[in-house]
């Protein structure tokens, strides 16, 4: 399917993924997709949280300003986000993983001519095994055989992790973690982590 020329202005969105050992996908437009987003934009405030778990192992929240997961065959072109984002993770057992990108949380497709602005603040806390944040101005994680082209981020990233055993943060002006491809992209935002 195709979504084109759609604008969401001054949104105020809150979403909580339960800590039940499953994977959750969130995007202001699409959670999980393999279609096309063309010339779409979102601005406003976004608050996401990954709930605490007493009994389950790993909990995942893959989230993006536009799409949570851009799958194989998916294409994002000429899209923009300008969001104030607050992401929180609370874990009492197991691991909590937050993957976030200004455009897409995780990418297995193609992203081109996209822009991300605004700010991202992460707060990950765990009294169990650990907590992890993977975040980028454009994409949280780029997977194999996917590509990000001619895209730009001016989003500022700030991260705090408090974990009893293990805490990790992978933050990038463009991408948090990548096994894919990027070309002709730019990042200008400030990055802070503690």
């Amino acid at each position: 399917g195709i979504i084109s020329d759609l604008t969401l202005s001054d949104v105020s969105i809150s979403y909580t993924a339960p800590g039940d050992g499953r994977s959750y996908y969130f995007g202001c437009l699409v959670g999980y997709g393999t279609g096309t987003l063309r010339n779409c934009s979102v601005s406003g405030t976004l608050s996401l949280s990954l709930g605490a778990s007493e009994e389950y192992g790993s909990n995942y929240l893959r989230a993006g300003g536009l799409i949570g997961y851009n799958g194989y065959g998916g294409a994002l072109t000429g899209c923009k986000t300008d969001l104030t984002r607050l992401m929180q993770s609370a874990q009492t057992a197991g691991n909590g993983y937050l993957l976030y990108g200004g455009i897409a949380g995780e990418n297995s497709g193609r992203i081109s001519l996209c822009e991300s602005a605004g700010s991202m603040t992460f707060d990950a806390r765990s009294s169990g095994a650990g907590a992890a944040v993977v975040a980028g101005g454009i994409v949280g994680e780029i997977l194999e055989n996917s590509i990000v082209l001619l895209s730009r981020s001016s989003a500022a990233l700030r991260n705090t992790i408090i974990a009893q055993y293990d805490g990790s943060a992978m933050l990038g002006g463009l991408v948090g973690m990548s096994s894919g491809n990027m070309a002709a992209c730019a990042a200008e935002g400030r990055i802070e982590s503690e």
Side-chain angles (χ1 to χ4, degrees):
I2 298 173
I3 300 175
S4 64
D5 303 303
L6 176 63
T7 298
L8 300 181
S9 300
D10 299 321
V11 301
S12 180
I13 299 173
S14 294
Y15 173 73
T16 298
D20 58 3
R22 298 180 183 178
S23 291
Y24 288 86
Y25 301 88
F26 175 88
C28 290
L29 293 184
V30 178
Y32 184 111
T34 55
T36 297
L37 296 178
R38 184 185 301 128
N39 300 328
C40 295
S41 66
V42 178
S43 65
T45 302
L46 174 61
S47 178
L48 301 173
S49 61
L50 176 59
S53 173
E54 290 288 349
E55 56 184 302
Y56 297 101
S58 297
N59 299 285
Y60 293 88
L61 175 57
R62 294 167 173 87
L66 288 177
I67 187 170
Y69 175 67
N70 183 40
Y72 293 104
L76 280 63
T77 303
C79 295
K80 298 180 181 180
T81 61
D82 188 352
L83 292 164
T84 299
R85 313 155 178 98
L86 172 63
M87 269 67 74
Q88 297 175 301
S89 173
Q91 291 295 125
T92 55
N95 299 297
Y97 297 98
L98 284 173
L99 288 89
Y100 184 83
I103 298 295
E106 205 168 48
N107 182 52
S108 293
R110 180 184 178 92
I111 295 174
S112 61
L113 298 167
C114 290
E115 296 182 24
S116 171
S119 63
M120 307 180 196
T121 302
F122 302 91
D123 184 1
R125 300 170 185 270
S126 174
S127 58
V133 171
V134 179
I138 298 294
V139 182
E141 182 177 7
I142 299 177
L143 301 177
E144 277 188 271
N145 302 316
S146 61
I147 190 164
V148 177
L149 295 169
L150 300 165
S151 295
R152 175 188 186 95
S153 174
S154 59
L157 285 73
R158 189 173 195 285
N159 178 69
T160 300
I161 286 188
I162 299 173
Q164 183 174 346
Y165 299 109
D166 183 31
S168 62
M170 289 165 269
L171 307 179
L174 289 171
V175 177
M177 183 164 61
S178 177
S179 54
N181 304 287
M182 288 186 293
C185 296
E188 299 174 348
R190 180 184 177 92
I191 301 174
E192 299 177 57
S193 185
E194 60 183 71

